[in-house]
Amino acid sequence: MIAMQSRLICHAIGLAPATEASVRDVFIRWGFQFARHEHVEAFANSADITHAGCVLARMEEPTALLNMLESAGSPLTTLVVLDHADTRRCVNAMRHGAADILELPADMVLLPTAIEGACALSLQRQQRLSETTAAQRRLAQLTDGECEVLQLMLHGKVNKNIASRLGIALRTVEARRKRVFTKMGTRSLAEIAAVLQTSGLLAATSLVSLN
């Protein structure tokens, strides 16, 4: 069972009344918050999509919902409910980021496992987003000159090479390097690389662009 259920919210969109009642009972019994929405537009207008949880949505074409959540950087994961699942629709939904596909009420017995998996994934997404935001905030503290030094450090350049490459004094490189570690809250280049890798920023082609 997922810890800290009270922090999780499960949204139901467009479910049939009987199905929604059964789903709501599962959510409430597990200690999740529950919110119902008539349709995607109502969900988009009223839901808080910044918190971890899942969306159980009944719709023929869930692409718009999935794209909206992705574009907004929401940690919410989506369980798509189809009246009659077929290969094309299932593949399309999964391709656009659905955590799982369900036929309700036929798959009601599978719902608890699907919810647990979707919420666990949502918590992972929320942690990743938090780490990315923290890393971006640290990078934003760096000056352009410090970002240039950091870029070259990450490419394996030593202080002497960096000084030559940037046309600055070795002492200036050493000072900037020290400030980079201080502002990033790290003690080594390996720690900086770990922070950027965990947050998904290590592959950025230009750290200056994040400043």
Side-chain angles (χ1 to χ4, degrees), residues 2 16 45 80 82 90 94 98 119 137 174 193:
I2 298 172
N45 291 332
V80 175
L82 297 174
C90 289
M94 297 299 286
C119 287
R137 189 176 295 117
E174 293 170 346

Side-chain angles (χ1 to χ4, degrees), residues 11 24 27 32 84 118 142:
H11 301 270
R24 184 180 184 278
F27 289 157
F32 294 118
H84 302 288
L142 303 182

Side-chain angles (χ1 to χ4, degrees), residues 119-179:
C119 287
L121 178 58
S122 181
L123 287 170
Q124 292 174 8
R125 287 184 180 178
Q126 187 176 56
Q127 179 65 25
R128 180 67 173 272
L129 289 167
S130 177
E131 291 168 348
T132 299
T133 299
Q136 289 175 327
R137 189 176 295 117
R138 294 178 188 177
L139 285 170
Q141 298 178 54
L142 303 182
T143 64
D144 288 347
E146 290 163 356
C147 283
E148 289 176 336
V149 169
L150 177 54
Q151 276 191 299
L152 293 173
M153 287 165 58
L154 290 170
H155 281 84
K157 304 299 182 182
V158 298
N159 289 359
K160 186 176 180 180
N161 297 140
I162 295 173
S164 177
R165 179 75 172 268
L166 297 179
I168 57 179
L170 180 60
R171 185 170 297 181
T172 301
V173 173
E174 293 170 346
R176 289 180 182 178
R177 183 185 182 107
K178 183 178 181 179
R179 289 196 297 271

